[in-house]
Structures are given as C-alpha cells and as structure tokens.
Amino acid sequence: MAERISEREAEVLAALGARLSNAQIANRLHVSVRTVESHVSSLLRKYGVADRWALAELARSAAPDPGRVVGLPASATTFVGRDAERAEVLAALEEARLVTLLGPGGVGKTRLAAMVAADAGALFPSGGAFVDLVPVRDGFVARAVATALGVTEGSHQPLADAVAARLGTGRSLLLLDNCEHVIDEAAAFAERILASCPGTRVLVTSRERLGVPGERSVPISPLPGSDAEALFHDRALTADPRFVADPAAIADLCARLDGVPLAIELAAARGASLGATGLLAALEDALRLLSGGRGGDERHRSLRAVLSWSHDLLDGEEKALFRRLGVFAGAFDMDAAAAVGGDRAGVADLLGRLVDKSLVVHLRGRADRWRLLETVRAFARAQLSAAGEDGEIGERHLRWAASAASGLEGRLGDPAWREDFDAMAADLRSALASSGGPGEVTHRLASALAHLTFARRHLLESFAHYRTAASVAPDAASAAEVLRAGAGCAHVSTTSNQHVFELLLEAAEQARRAGDRRGRAIDLARAVETACRFPEAFETDVSRERLHGLLDQAADAAGHDAAGSGDPEVAACLAVARAWLDGPGRGAPDAESAPRALAAARATADPVLISSGLCAAATTALLAGRLREANRITRERLELLPSMDRDDPYCAPEICNTYGRACIYAIMAGDLPGGMAAARAGMDDDLLSDTHITASRLVQPLALTGRFRDAIEHAERMWDQWERAGRPAPRWMLPAVCTTVLASGMLGEPESVALWRSRAAEVAGGAGTLATDAVAVFVDARLAVHDGRFGDAETLVGRAFAAGTPLDPYLAYARAAGAELAVAAGLPEAADRLASATPFGQENGWAAACLARARWRLHGDREELDRALEGWERIDAQAERACTQASSS
C-alpha cells in the first residue's frame, strides 16, 4: 500500500488547496519555508503527481490518503479464493491502461475488481474511484464518474473535461463496474479519459469487451471445486454457526451450481433451514425444470434455478415486496420501500426477512439503505411483469420520487443533502424517464430534479430537466416558472445566449396564457436585456426593431411606460432593459438611461437586479474612459455576491458575469490586488469552478504583481486544462500567455520565454498578429527595459503607441511601458512619448507608477521616485518596487 500522509503534511496539503504560496504556508504553520518545501516534495512523491497544482486539486476535492480508491463497496463477508485471478489482474494493470474483467452475471467480477483495487494502492498514489454503473442509464456514465470523484461542472465546462481535469496526470485508478448495459457510452468515456489522463488506469467489469484500442481482457470463470466449497461453507456458517454437512454433499451441491458464486451464496443462506441434503433435493427439481431452457448463457442456468427456487420458498407477502422492490434502479431507504410496498411496519419486517434470505443487501451507513444485486433485480422485475403490477408500482415509484425530490429541495441548506441526492438520483431519473407524460406529479418531479441537479452542479442535465418540466407542466403558470429558471441555467450551462433569450420569450408567452401580466413584463424585459447586454453568443441577429417591440409589449403588460412607476421589480427590469437597448451599440448601455436604471434597481431588495443596474453603470463609466470608477462599481457588485442564492438559477448569470467583469476591470484600472482577489474568488466558486478560463484570470495579476513562479505554475495548469478541453477558441487566453512570457523573462529563464512566446503566437493566430496586440507589445517593451536591450527600442516604442484599442485592457500598460522604454533607451522623442502616455496613468495604477518611474529616469526627480515606489506598494507590485529600488541605488 502507498504511504499515508502525516498530520503536518495534511495541513500543508490543505494550505495548497487554498492556493497559498510556500512562504504563506510557512507563516501560517510557524515553520520555515525549507520545511514546507520538504513537505511539498514528500506529498508529490506520495501522490505521484507532477506539481503543486495537482496537489491543490486533490486537496480541494477532499483527497483521501494516497492509494485509496473511494467508493469501494464494503463487505461483511470474507473473500474466498481467486488468488491466481487477483495476481493476473494486478499484473495486467501494470502493463495495460484498460483492463476488462469478462464474465456472466453472478460470477464475482465486482467482488474481485474491488479486491484488486484495494490491493493496488501502491500502484495508484493519486487514489481513484469505484463507480457502480448498475443504476446508470444511457447518457449518465460521465455523471456517475463525476459524482464518485466529487467533481461538478463549472460554467460552460463539459462534464468530461471536469473529470479529466480532476484526474489530471497523477497515477489514478478508475473502476467502472457493470458496463454491459451502457457499453458504447462507457467505451467512449474510457477512451476519452485514457487520451486525456496519461497516468490513469481504467478497470472495467462487463459481460462484453468495450472494444477500445489497447484493452486487455481477463476472463473470470466460475470458482473451481475447492474454492466453491470453501465459499459455501463460509456462507453457510454465517447463516448458522452450527452448520455441519458432509463434504461430499457440499461438493455435489457446488458442482450442480456450476461454481457460480452468487448462486452458491443464495443457496448457502438456506443451509440453516434445509441442510446440504435438503438443498440438493430442492435444487434437483429446479435444475431439471431449467435444463431445457431456450437461449441465454448456459452458465446462468444454475443461478436462474437458485433464484426461482429461492423465490418459490417465499410466502405471499415476501414475494409481493420482493418483486415490487425490483422497480428501484439503485439503493433505496425504508421510506422508499414503504412507498411501493405498503405499510411501513410490515415492510420493515418483510425487508428483514428478505435480507436474511440473501435476496436483498443491507447497506449500512449514515442512513440505512438496501439494494438488490443486478441479477436479482432483473429476476424481480420479471416477477413484477408476470404479476401484472408494472403500471401500479410504476405509479407508486413516480409518486415516491416526486415526494422525495421535493423533500430534498427543502433540505438544500443541510450539508447531508448531496449524499442523499446522490444515493437516490438514479431512481429520480428513472422515474421521470418512465413517467407517462404531462401531469402534476411528473411536473413536480421534473422541476424538483432540475433544481436539485442545478444545485449539485449537474448543469447540462439541469437544463434538460427544466425543458422537460415545461413540457409536462399541468398549466401555463407552472410552465412559465420553470422556463424562467431554465433560462438562468442555460446561461451557465450552454454556450448560446440565444437559448436564454428564447426561453425567456417562451416564459413570457406562457405567462400571457396564464393571465400573469407582471410575469410577462419581467420575462420580456429580461429577454431584451439578454440580447443587448450579452450579444456575443447569438447564432442569429435580433433586430433592434424587434427588441423595441418586445420592450413596448413588456411596458404594455406592466400597465405603465418603460420608465416604470408601479411594481419596483417590474420598473427596475424595464429600466435596465431600456438602458441597454438605447445604447450606441450592443453591449453598450445608454449613458443617460444607465443612472436611472441603477436607481430603479436600488429601489428593490433584489441583489440580482441591483447588480444588473451596477453593470450598466460600470460599463457606461468604462466606455467614457473612467476606468477607476468602472472598477469601483464592479467591486460593489462583488460585495453583493454573498447575498445571491447559489442554488437558484436566476442568480447564476449575474454571479458569472460579475467575476469575469471584476477581473477585467481591475486589470484595466491597474488594481492588481482587486484582480487577484476576484480571480481567486471565481476559482473557488463552484458555479465557475477551477477551469482554464478561471485560471487565465489569475495568471495575469500574479505576473503583474511579481509572483512570477506562481504565475508560471498557474499558466502551465491553464494550458494543460485548455488542451484537455480540446483546445477551444484560444484567442481569449492571449493576455495570460503573454504575461507568462513577462514572468519568465523577469526570472531570466530564456527557455521558458521561448516556450511561452511560441504559445502566444499559437493562440494569437500567428507571430505577426502579436506586433499590434497591446498585451504582447507591453510585455516586449517591459522586458526590453528590464534586460537593457535597446537595439530595436525605436521600433518597439512605435508599436507600443500604435497597438490596442480604447477598450483594450492592456492599452495603458503598453503606453506606459513604451514611454519608459523611450526614456531608458535615450530616444529623442522620450519626453513627448512620456507626455503622451501621462493621461493613461490617471486611470490605471500600474501605468501611474511606471510613468512616475520613467519621469524619475528622465529628470532625476526624487519625488517621482517616491511616487513610483508608493504606487507599486499600493498595487502590491513587489517585483516592480524592487526593480525601482535597485535602479535608484
């Protein structure tokens, strides 16, 4: 087994998860930095991962001790035999990245795989997960894996990407149990993980091969005679500690059962009442009945015989509950069993009897649950159909699911709700999929499941459930309600704001049908706001004429003009929509209307509406060149975030937009501490999650404040996550990549500079493009000053003053760095360049400090030097402050 981590190492790991540097960890734990470095090295070795980023991921996902595979089923019985197979599978895992245990149902594949996973800890220091696919339907394999790993989707992050990012490059084991009913999806998922996560091994149990290249198959046969007899004797003693039988009878019995472990265990459970001789007699008849069976695998003959025989020995009440329990796709609790089985007290007694007869498995934990093994459940479902109870029990199952889901909605503040949801999620999905169509119960289940999956951060699934809930709604008002929530979910789960727009229009139409004028007004106003405020992800253009018409309809539904004078919430929605619609272009609100919109929003108690009004005001300030004001307003938006319900899709668009704008506006204003805080908060918010998008936001303030090593580590992680995501639309990563060039250059690492310059050219679409990009030119100019390379200073200064656009986040940086380069290189136009750049220092803290340093270089004015030092201190740019001090000495 892999080594366990010490208490001190656990503290260091937790601190890494909080994104603390070694120096910060040393200060927190009152140890030296060298000691922290030693602990980090030890953790890297024990977990078998490449860098502190991977350790931070493990910490943030509540990493187990090294080598532990989470979710392995606990067993109350001993494991018998299979020594040769265990060794063979372990050897296969060392040589192949995908190993499949093949065999019929009941042969013991799951138990063997679990034992191998427990044995293999030393091979997989990053641990892993056991994923039970028995209750999983098509389309939910990735979801089941993500749940087992504790992974959730971030905004616009495909679930498979989140799983791949969690597994990373560490040596992990993923055990996919019972794949045969989702074989194609399981194969595709395994292939995706193997391609993205080079250190991950996948162990599969199935009745057929996945068919993935490189797959190693290990056939699992029934137990040989001696092992089969040992298993029977062990289980019979469990049922009756005084059990005694003739070894020859046990040998005969196991031979008749073909050595199938599940059949042996079921038979042994009857040993206390029938003894070996009685079991033989009973099985003789059962086996004779099945000897001429048509189709199927002959190795199932004995198992079917034992199941039939065990079922026939049940009394009427036991049979009824047994077949009704077959409706559950996964584990169930007592309330669920009573919902399909009848009186709770009676069900409890019957359930205990079925457990004693090994037809039901009792799963002990924080909450007691029970389940039927896959093969047993299939038999129970057949009995349910034979009894003609499918429809009635299906209805009971549906009503239970709706009630259970609604109950969980009321417990979203309870820390245990996620565990309970994960336990029953398969049955909630199954019940919804099996429901007959529109109706109050189906709608209640669909809407509750949509809400729960959103809160659980299964975002794409949640969006699908909201659409389903609308389609089965019993009335227009109910449909409108879930369509509104679905619009919020769509904003963060899909890449199309057109979906959001269209859902809000659907909601407005349903509100009209329901006679809800207020709801219709809000829905139409929000649709207009979406089209004007978030125009970047629309597949088809929505004309301004149409938007004006929609806003007029909203005002008409509200009963007052678009300025609003009635219901504060309606008035605010109309005013915000009007501000964005009347602006000079999409994404640009009207300067005169924005203050009125903010005032109307502040008149409500809704933090989402207030934030949307603040966004209009901040964007107006930005367009007017008032960068500090835009940044200050956006900080106010950040302060509103704690009051927004993370489990309510209505809040989601505002939360995501606030984090993104806060990072950009802080950079534009040179507020590096603010940018750092916003970036870290976004990464820690599970609605966004730690993705290549959020990581790119943190790289920039890290580099600009002089935390160069941390910046490079985050950039490497960003690049790795981007590649795992399939390298989508890279252009937006350019600022982070270029500031990583800056970090590498300031550290004096030419190989790293060359690497990140090549990456910058890649994401920019060619090296030539970088010559006119503000962030790239800024980095070139700053490094030229730092390195004292002035050979092409004149050309570079010209580029610095030509690059960028008025709203480019790095425009001020490029101008200031260009002016300082002109001074440092002694160019004749240095004073003019400095004067030309001076206005940029009024709105950007970094530019102000840089220009003060340049003026000191040019004039030798000590006050300018002090001003530069104070400026660098104010924005926490410690490396720039150190460079300034070094230049002055």
Side-chain angles (χ1 to χ4, degrees):
M1 292 294 291
E3 301 172 68
R4 296 177 65 85
I5 63 174
S6 68
E7 184 176 345
R8 178 63 83 189
E9 287 172 339
E11 292 174 330
V12 171
L13 185 64
L16 290 171
R19 309 297 189 204
L20 300 184
S21 67
N22 285 355
Q24 291 171 317
I25 298 171
N27 183 60
R28 171 180 288 190
L29 300 182
H30 306 292
V31 297
S32 69
V33 172
R34 186 176 295 253
T35 299
V36 175
E37 291 172 349
S38 175
H39 287 313
V40 171
S41 296
S42 176
L43 289 167
L44 291 171
R45 175 178 55 80
K46 289 182 178 181
Y47 280 106
V49 294
D51 53 39
R52 60 191 293 126
W53 259 104
L55 289 175
E57 254 188 15
L58 289 166
R60 287 156 63 86
S61 60
D65 285 333
R68 181 185 166 205
V69 178
V70 297
L72 281 178
S75 178
T77 57
T78 56
F79 185 79
V80 176
R82 302 286 193 198
D83 291 340
E85 289 95 332
R86 286 169 76 172
E88 182 180 1
V89 177
L90 278 170
L93 281 173
E94 291 190 39
E95 299 171 3
R97 297 191 57 212
L98 172 62
V99 177
T100 300
L101 308 190
L102 290 173
V107 81
K109 301 184 298 296
T110 296
R111 188 74 188 275
L112 175 60
M115 291 302 298
V116 168
D119 290 342
L123 294 176
F124 305 104
S126 292
F130 175 96
V131 186
D132 179 10
L133 295 181
V134 168
V136 174
R137 297 188 297 111
D138 278 332
F140 288 93
V141 169
R143 172 77 56 224
V145 176
T147 298
L149 288 169
V151 170
T152 55
E153 294 169 61
S155 175
H156 304 141
Q157 180 192 34
L159 188 59
D161 291 351
V163 172
R166 166 63 180 84
L167 291 171
T169 57
R171 297 196 300 277
S172 305
L173 177 65
L174 195 58
L175 202 167
L176 305 179
D177 186 45
N178 287 290
C179 292
E180 52 276 347
H181 62 299
V182 287
I183 194 73
D184 292 337
E185 187 182 351
F189 178 81
E191 197 164 14
R192 165 81 168 84
I193 293 301
L194 292 172
S196 301
C197 307
T200 297
R201 296 287 196 272
V202 180
L203 178 61
V204 166
T205 73
S206 179
R207 297 183 193 181
E208 61 177 300
R209 298 179 73 254
L210 266 60
V212 172
E215 179 180 16
R216 175 80 63 85
S217 298
V218 180
I220 305 302
S221 302
L223 290 170
S226 58
D227 284 347
E229 294 156 24
L231 176 65
F232 180 90
H233 194 260
D234 180 84
R235 300 303 189 258
L237 285 173
T238 300
D240 178 9
R242 294 175 295 178
F243 177 82
V244 177
D246 179 7
I250 294 177
D252 190 10
L253 184 65
C254 291
R256 290 173 180 268
L257 294 176
D258 299 323
V260 176
L262 180 56
I264 291 171
E265 295 201 18
L266 288 170
R270 292 289 186 177
S273 57
L274 294 178
T277 304
L279 288 173
L280 277 170
L283 283 172
E284 181 69 28
D285 290 338
L287 289 166
R288 184 180 299 114
L289 288 172
L290 288 170
S291 61
R294 297 186 299 270
D297 190 329
E298 277 301 307
R299 288 175 293 182
H300 286 169
R301 182 175 67 95
S302 60
L303 180 54
R304 294 200 307 273
V306 172
L307 285 170
S308 297
W309 166 68
S310 296
H311 177 262
D312 291 344
L313 292 175
L314 300 177
D315 65 27
E317 290 182 321
E318 291 170 339
K319 287 179 179 177
L321 180 61
F322 172 69
R323 64 177 177 262
R324 292 168 183 175
L325 293 178
V327 77
F328 290 106
F332 51 86
D333 61 13
M334 186 61 71
D335 289 338
V340 301
D343 172 70
R344 183 184 175 92
V347 164
D349 175 59
L350 293 170
L351 193 55
R353 286 192 245 165
L354 292 174
V355 170
D356 291 340
K357 293 166 184 176
S358 296
L359 289 170
V360 174
V361 178
H362 185 191
L363 307 174
R364 291 178 172 82
R366 181 186 58 80
D368 283 333
R369 297 184 184 278
W370 292 262
R371 70 170 297 176
L372 276 63
L373 296 177
E374 177 200 12
T375 311
V376 177
R377 177 176 179 258
F379 183 87
R381 287 303 301 255
Q383 298 303 312
L384 188 68
S385 296
E389 292 183 337
D390 292 69
E392 177 190 349
I393 301 306
E395 281 296 317
R396 292 188 191 181
H397 186 237
L398 175 64
R399 288 195 296 272
W400 162 80
S403 176
S406 298
L408 271 180
E409 274 192 290
R411 292 178 47 212
L412 288 179
D414 176 1
W417 83 266
R418 290 177 177 81
E419 179 184 342
D420 291 340
F421 170 77
D422 291 345
M424 66 174 65
D427 270 292
L428 301 183
R429 294 167 182 141
S430 174
L432 182 60
S434 302
S435 61
E440 187 277 331
V441 177
T442 304
H443 171 74
R444 183 156 49 95
L445 172 57
S447 59
L449 187 52
H451 189 191
L452 291 169
T453 48
F454 179 85
R456 195 67 180 89
R457 297 298 180 255
H458 303 338
L459 300 179
L460 283 170
E461 180 185 355
S462 174
F463 177 58
H465 290 318
Y466 276 121
R467 294 308 306 256
T468 299
S471 70
V472 300
D475 53 67
S478 299
E481 182 179 0
V482 293
L483 285 166
R484 289 171 193 134
C489 181
H491 190 99
V492 295
S493 63
T494 72
T495 57
S496 171
N497 287 329
Q498 185 124 18
H499 285 154
V500 181
F501 177 77
E502 291 170 354
L503 284 167
L504 288 168
L505 293 185
E506 286 184 51
E509 174 58 21
Q510 293 294 339
R512 184 195 66 77
R513 292 179 53 204
D516 179 8
R517 295 175 63 85
R518 178 181 186 276
R520 175 171 168 77
I522 291 174
D523 294 334
L524 288 171
R526 288 179 61 205
V528 172
E529 178 192 353
T530 296
C532 297
R533 184 180 170 194
F534 307 112
E536 60 277 1
F538 273 73
E539 289 76 33
T540 58
D541 182 60
V542 184
S543 70
R544 293 184 72 86
E545 291 75 17
R546 184 186 180 196
L547 293 174
H548 277 288
L550 291 173
L551 193 56
D552 288 343
Q553 292 177 42
D556 180 66
H560 48 63
D561 63 31
S565 60
D567 183 311
E569 184 180 350
V570 174
C573 289
L574 290 169
V576 169
R578 175 63 67 192
W580 287 100
L581 179 58
D582 287 349
R586 299 288 169 85
D590 178 59
E592 293 184 3
S593 301
R596 292 195 293 270
L598 178 56
R602 289 193 190 280
T604 73
D606 184 350
V608 172
L609 274 175
I610 296 171
S611 181
S612 67
L614 288 168
C615 184
T619 307
T620 299
L622 183 77
L623 293 171
R626 302 191 303 274
L627 307 184
R628 294 181 188 272
E629 180 183 346
N631 184 49
R632 177 189 57 76
I633 294 171
T634 306
R635 286 202 305 269
E636 186 178 346
R637 293 182 70 195
L638 284 170
E639 293 169 0
L640 288 171
L641 292 184
S643 62
M644 296 186 195
D645 184 355
R646 291 302 193 282
D647 297 333
D648 186 350
Y650 168 63
C651 302
E654 209 62 44
I655 293 170
C656 293
N657 179 260
T658 297
Y659 282 125
R661 292 293 179 96
C663 294
I664 294 172
Y665 288 7
I667 292 293
M668 295 182 77
D671 175 16
L672 305 186
M676 185 102 65
R680 290 191 187 279
M683 292 176 74
D684 290 337
D685 195 309
D686 69 348
L687 192 58
L688 279 75
S689 192
D690 178 9
T691 66
H692 51 293
I693 298 173
T694 50
S696 74
R697 295 170 181 166
L698 182 56
V699 169
Q700 299 168 67
L702 284 173
L704 293 171
T705 57
R707 293 165 172 82
F708 302 131
R709 190 62 62 197
D710 284 349
I712 294 170
E713 287 184 6
H714 280 70
E716 288 288 3
R717 191 64 180 166
M718 171 195 72
W719 191 267
D720 181 59
Q721 289 173 327
W722 175 65
E723 290 189 322
R724 292 181 192 283
R727 303 166 69 89
R731 178 76 188 184
W732 58 265
M733 279 203 308
L734 185 61
V737 175
C738 286
T739 50
T740 307
V741 174
L742 175 67
S744 301
M746 297 293 281
L747 287 173
E749 298 179 351
E751 291 183 1
S752 182
V753 169
L755 170 65
W756 286 100
R757 282 195 188 280
S758 69
R759 289 175 170 178
E762 180 179 352
V763 299
T769 307
L770 296 175
T772 59
D773 196 284
V775 65
V777 175
F778 152 63
V779 169
D780 287 346
R782 180 64 192 93
L783 288 179
V785 172
H786 181 262
D787 297 337
R789 291 183 289 101
F790 304 135
D792 60 348
E794 187 171 359
T795 300
L796 192 49
V797 170
R799 286 169 49 203
F801 279 83
T805 61
L807 292 182
D808 191 310
Y810 281 88
L811 181 63
Y813 296 85
R815 298 294 193 268
E820 184 175 30
L821 176 58
V823 171
L827 299 184
E829 71 270 22
D832 291 339
R833 294 296 194 185
L834 193 54
S836 175
T838 294
F840 291 94
Q842 296 173 3
E843 294 293 335
N844 180 289
W846 194 97
C850 181
L851 290 168
R853 183 171 63 191
R855 284 190 291 270
W856 166 73
R857 286 179 184 270
L858 183 63
H859 303 298
D861 187 339
R862 183 70 195 189
E863 288 186 2
E864 292 291 356
L865 175 63
D866 291 341
R867 190 173 290 115
L869 291 170
E870 291 170 4
W872 297 131
E873 188 70 32
R874 189 178 304 113
I875 64 173
D876 195 30
Q878 297 301 321
E880 293 290 1
R881 191 178 192 282
C883 287
T884 305
Q885 285 179 318
S887 298
S888 66
S889 59

